[in-house]
Amino acid sequence: MSDNKRYFWLKLDESFFDDDTIAWIEEQENGKDYVIFYLKLALKSLKDDGYLIRYVGQKLIPYDVKALSKLTNTPVDTVTIAMRLFIEIGLVSQLDTGEIYLNQLNEMIGSETAVAKRVRKSRAKKELSDSVDGLLLHCNDGETKSNTEKEIEKELDLDKELETESKEKKKNSPAKAEPSLPYSEVVDYLNEKTKSKFRSSSQATQRLIKARFNDGFTLNDFKQVIDTKSDEWLRDKKMSIYLRPETLFSNKFEGYLNQKRQTFSNLSDMPDIPDTDELPF
């Protein structure tokens, strides 16, 4: 049904450009171009909750520099440097599946149905009409007001009809019991170990945690992975940014779980860390 189509938009806080991360990016050479490129990525990934996904047939083909350049109409050099920068500071991640994920986008997405959009526009038109000098609309005042009210009433009736229809479907459909998963326990444990502030309410994080539980892993497995990778990465500036849900709870989870846990008495005992040039961009 066309009225069920959902529209999405990007919500920017008034302090967006005052944020330390954005301000720091702008300070870089060509930084303003990087911020514009980031906003273009954000808009392109709205419908998929911050994921940039490209399917060819049934196969997922990761976005490379040239594809991102074409997608956002941005020079290849700008894309190359910006993506390397975004990944390094944790603004963007590239998952093991090849998907690109914008870590902060969930907080910047707004949406509404087609019906709600039309009702909002109708109300705005009515308010504008009512604010115009009555003398200018004297001849058509009654007709304009009548038509506007009828339009709004139709939209509201349709909205109620869709809502009632949705409730009836839920009422008549057999209830599917969703298993209760310990999202908060997992994320709280990660925050405690890494001194972070990840949100257990994030849909992207919940999707990753649920996928691993569907694979048969347990809460203790999550804690073990968090412990293992925290011991390995926490004290290294380059790698500590990867102590986050989209890295730890990805398809590499089983490999991390079976990795022998190591503790180091000092930094000199830690293994060599790959250079940033080995990152995907």
Side-chain angles (χ1 to χ4, degrees):
M1 191 173 182
S2 60
D3 286 319
N4 286 330
K5 182 177 180 181
R6 183 165 288 276
Y7 296 84
F8 296 82
W9 66 85
L10 196 64
K11 300 187 297 184
L12 294 184
D13 189 270
E14 61 180 4
S15 61
F16 175 78
F17 287 99
D18 297 324
D19 179 80
D20 289 340
T21 301
I22 301 301
W24 181 82
I25 293 174
E26 282 196 296
E27 291 170 3
Q28 310 308 304
E29 185 176 358
N30 301 319
K32 295 187 184 301
D33 293 334
Y34 302 156
V35 173
I36 293 174
F37 170 61
Y38 174 72
L39 291 175
K40 287 183 177 181
L41 289 180
L43 289 169
K44 293 294 183 181
S45 63
L46 280 180
K47 292 183 179 180
D48 290 302
D49 295 326
Y51 288 86
L52 271 175
I53 307 171
R54 180 172 60 156
Y55 286 97
V56 177
Q58 296 183 347
K59 185 176 180 181
L60 188 149
I61 305 296
Y63 276 100
D64 56 16
V65 171
K66 289 184 179 179
L68 288 175
S69 173
K70 183 177 180 180
L71 179 70
T72 61
N73 192 27
T74 303
V76 171
D77 290 345
T78 300
V79 172
T80 302
I81 298 173
M83 286 300 295
R84 184 177 298 172
L85 186 67
F86 295 164
I87 291 174
E88 185 175 353
I89 64 177
L91 198 60
V92 171
S93 298
Q94 187 174 44
L95 306 184
D96 297 328
T97 57
E99 297 168 291
I100 293 172
Y101 177 62
L102 279 67
N103 297 320
Q104 299 178 6
L105 197 73
N106 275 329
E107 302 171 7
M108 302 162 61
I109 298 177
S111 67
E112 68 179 352
T113 63
V115 171
K117 183 178 182 180
R118 291 205 306 271
V119 172
R120 177 170 51 81
K121 285 186 175 181
S122 295
R123 287 172 177 166
K125 288 178 181 178
K126 185 177 185 303
E127 290 178 3
L128 178 62
S129 174
D130 290 344
S131 66
V132 177
D133 188 347
L135 290 176
L136 296 177
L137 298 177
H138 179 71
C139 294
N140 297 318
D141 180 68
E143 181 182 351
T144 303
K145 183 177 180 181
S146 177
N147 289 340
T148 304
E149 288 179 345
K150 287 180 180 179
E151 182 181 0
I152 292 175
E153 287 176 359
K154 287 180 180 178
E155 297 295 348
L156 291 175
D157 288 341
L158 182 56
D159 203 10
K160 290 179 180 178
E161 181 182 338
L162 288 172
E163 185 179 353
T164 302
E165 181 181 337
S166 177
K167 288 180 179 179
E168 285 297 324
K169 285 182 179 179
K170 290 182 180 179
K171 183 179 178 181
N172 297 327
S173 299
K176 295 182 179 179
E178 279 287 335
S180 179
L181 297 179
Y183 298 119
S184 295
E185 290 183 63
V186 172
V187 176
D188 288 347
Y189 191 77
L190 175 60
N191 287 336
E192 179 184 345
K193 294 289 291 187
T194 62
K195 308 302 180 186
S196 303
K197 295 182 179 179
F198 295 108
R199 296 180 300 111
S200 59
S201 59
S202 166
Q203 292 183 5
T205 297
Q206 289 189 3
R207 179 162 56 180
L208 289 168
I209 293 174
K210 184 177 182 180
R212 301 291 75 82
F213 272 101
N214 288 342
D215 290 338
F217 296 107
T218 66
L219 176 60
N220 286 335
D221 292 334
F222 278 88
K223 291 183 177 181
Q224 183 176 330
V225 167
I226 292 169
D227 287 338
T228 299
K229 303 312 289 185
S230 294
D231 289 341
E232 183 180 357
W233 290 344
L234 189 59
R235 288 170 289 184
D236 185 274
K237 291 183 180 179
K238 289 183 180 179
M239 299 305 294
S240 61
I241 62 174
Y242 297 106
L243 289 170
R244 56 196 181 199
E246 58 268 26
T247 301
L248 299 177
F249 309 150
S250 67
N251 291 334
K252 288 187 176 181
F253 186 86
E254 185 172 7
Y256 294 152
L257 180 63
N258 288 283
Q259 178 182 333
K260 185 177 180 181
R261 184 177 177 186
Q262 299 179 5
T263 56
F264 305 97
S265 58
N266 55 65
L267 291 179
S268 62
D269 294 332
M270 296 184 70
D272 292 335
I273 303 298
D275 188 78
T276 1
D277 291 337
E278 296 181 27
L279 291 172
F281 293 90

